[in-house]
Amino acid sequence: METIIHMDGAILMFLQESVRNVILDPIMKLITTLGNAGILWIILTILLLIPERTRKIGWMSASALLFSLLINNIVLKNLVARVRPYNAIEGLIPIIKKPSEFSFPSGHAASSFASACILYRKLPKKFGIPILILAILISFSRLYVGVHYPTDVLAGAVTGIICSCLGEWLVNQIQKRNDSLSVT
């Protein structure tokens, strides 16, 4: 465990010292903002709920986002209670406003992957691939701006993928139940 904690810190310091720059800083700040409160994913989900042909995908994304909120932000963050890296790594300076909640797992990564994985699997690839790339960029931005450990982001991505599967499964189960009720 100590090795992982050391690697987490080394990666963040490398990003701060060798990757951050005047060109990327504003871009990464903007990208990270897209993930704030899951707002981008919520907007995309609402837009998918409007047309009937994409409504089921919208419900899957909404379910995945709710699972992510419950599992990551309500349960895991408070259970693990990991301090933010800028409070634990000497010399690490975040370049955005310091979040006040716990660090593990990354809610930005979790919500991004929860919704993006649904959209990647269910929408045409011309939409799904850019959406998945955006989820990866939002997740990476959390490291770049100095507010999450790499393991926070990795855990958020993994739990987000699991939430996407749960969201898809739940909507399919509800549809099966409704279909069987309408047949009788």
Side-chain angles (χ1 to χ4, degrees), residues 28-37 39-40 96 108 141-142:
M28 285 298 166
K29 287 178 184 180
L30 174 66
I31 290 171
T32 213
T33 301
L34 293 174
N36 288 355
I39 195 68
L40 171 72
I96 62 168
H108 279 65
S141 75
R142 304 306 283 169

Side-chain angles (χ1 to χ4, degrees), residues 155-166:
V158 169
T159 59
I161 292 166
I162 292 167
C163 290
S164 80
C165 294
L166 289 171

Side-chain angles (χ1 to χ4, degrees), residues 63-77 163:
S63 299
L65 288 169
L66 284 171
F67 278 123
S68 178
L69 175 70
L70 292 170
I71 292 168
N72 293 295
N73 294 64
I74 295 174
V75 175
L76 289 176
K77 275 190 185 284
C163 290

Side-chain angles (χ1 to χ4, degrees), residues 79-147:
L79 187 66
V80 176
R82 188 178 196 186
V83 299
R84 292 282 175 167
Y86 49 78
N87 289 326
I89 300 170
E90 189 174 327
L92 182 64
I93 302 164
I95 60 171
I96 62 168
K97 184 180 178 227
K98 294 177 179 179
S100 57
E101 70 277 355
F102 293 119
S103 188
F104 182 93
S106 167
H108 279 65
S111 63
S112 293
F113 276 89
S115 182
C117 286
I118 291 282
L119 305 183
Y120 174 78
R121 290 193 305 268
K122 299 299 178 181
L123 293 176
K125 295 304 175 225
K126 68 181 180 181
F127 301 114
I129 291 171
I131 287 169
L132 193 56
I133 290 169
L134 182 57
I136 292 166
L137 286 172
I138 289 171
S139 299
F140 174 75
S141 75
R142 304 306 283 169
L143 304 175
Y144 185 95
V145 300
V147 296

Side-chain angles (χ1 to χ4, degrees), residues 39-50:
I39 195 68
L40 171 72
W41 308 109
I42 293 167
I43 291 168
L44 285 173
T45 297
I46 291 168
L47 291 174
L48 288 167
L49 288 168
I50 296 169

